[in-house]
Amino acid sequence: MIATMRPMLATTGTHVPTGDDWVHEVKWDGIRLIAQRYGDAFRLTTRNENDATLAWPELAPGPGLPRDLVVDGEVIALNDAGRPDFRVLGERMHTRDPRKAARFAAARPATYMVFDVLRLDGEDLTGRTWTQRRAILEGLELGGWQVPATYDDGRLLHQATLAQGLEGIVSKRRDSRYQPGVRSRAWLKFPHRFRASYVVGGWRPQEGTRDRLAALLVGELTPQGLRYRGRVGSGIGGKESLRLRSALTPAAASPFADEVPREDLTGTFWTTPGVVVDIETHGIGYERLRQPTYVGLRTDLSPEDLLR
């Protein structure tokens, strides 16, 4: 019988743990899904227990998959730079149209990265240690699903994922039991934050006003012009909002060389692209900034400095 289950969650850590008690995994920039199979029935559910089965037809069970199985994992897809990218999945994660989902799957198929097993052949495995569950997982035939590698040296993995522009790592106690729906300190996550400088091309006011700056539209200066990279609102307080407004010069049209998404156009005021700001974001190499946060105004830099 298939019943919904919330996944175990990791707590944000302050330092990567060392020693034999811990094991480390890559933190994938994807969508958390629990897969359940019972006989001929199969279901994929999100961390909020929503049914996502129709959105991912390419993840249907393959030959040899156990007929009574519950696993936990992350569905990922690669962007044009070859990195796992949540934004590639964004358009299809909410689809409930099988024909549309099939087109998505054919154009850019997703991969299910399975990192835990919770039930097998009628036995609840959540009370077993991570080490025991991992040994069982590695012995399974999962068809097209993948079991990602684990690593003993967390600090080295942290450095490697940072250098590769990946999302981060997760560290897990080898003796940890699986606790559905619990955010546990037995699992620690270490997402990377990257800082870079961008050029301001526009701003949006706080809702209900026309003069209180709430968000910036920023871009990357390239030989082909200013390319739009996203909207940034987090980190802009009241005093910084006033400072930014005074630094920006109005423009009659968009300074971006490419198209700005419709959802970012509403209420936007364009500016002359002469102001540089620092932004922190998750990951690098993406078309759009991931969870960006405003850091500060760079009066020491000009846009031309960034191009050089």
Side-chain angles (χ1 to χ4, degrees), residues 3 24 41 66 140 145 180 197 224 247 255 274 283 302:
H24 312 274
L140 295 177
W145 300 350
S197 299
Q224 293 74 41
S302 70

Side-chain angles (χ1 to χ4, degrees), residues 56-70:
W56 313 100
E58 70 270 45
L59 302 186
L65 192 79
R67 296 178 64 80
D68 183 6
L69 178 71
V70 180

Side-chain angles (χ1 to χ4, degrees), residues 55-58 92 98-110:
W56 313 100
E58 70 270 45
R92 64 177 296 192
R99 292 172 298 180
K100 189 174 183 181
R103 290 196 295 270
F104 279 129
R108 198 185 294 256

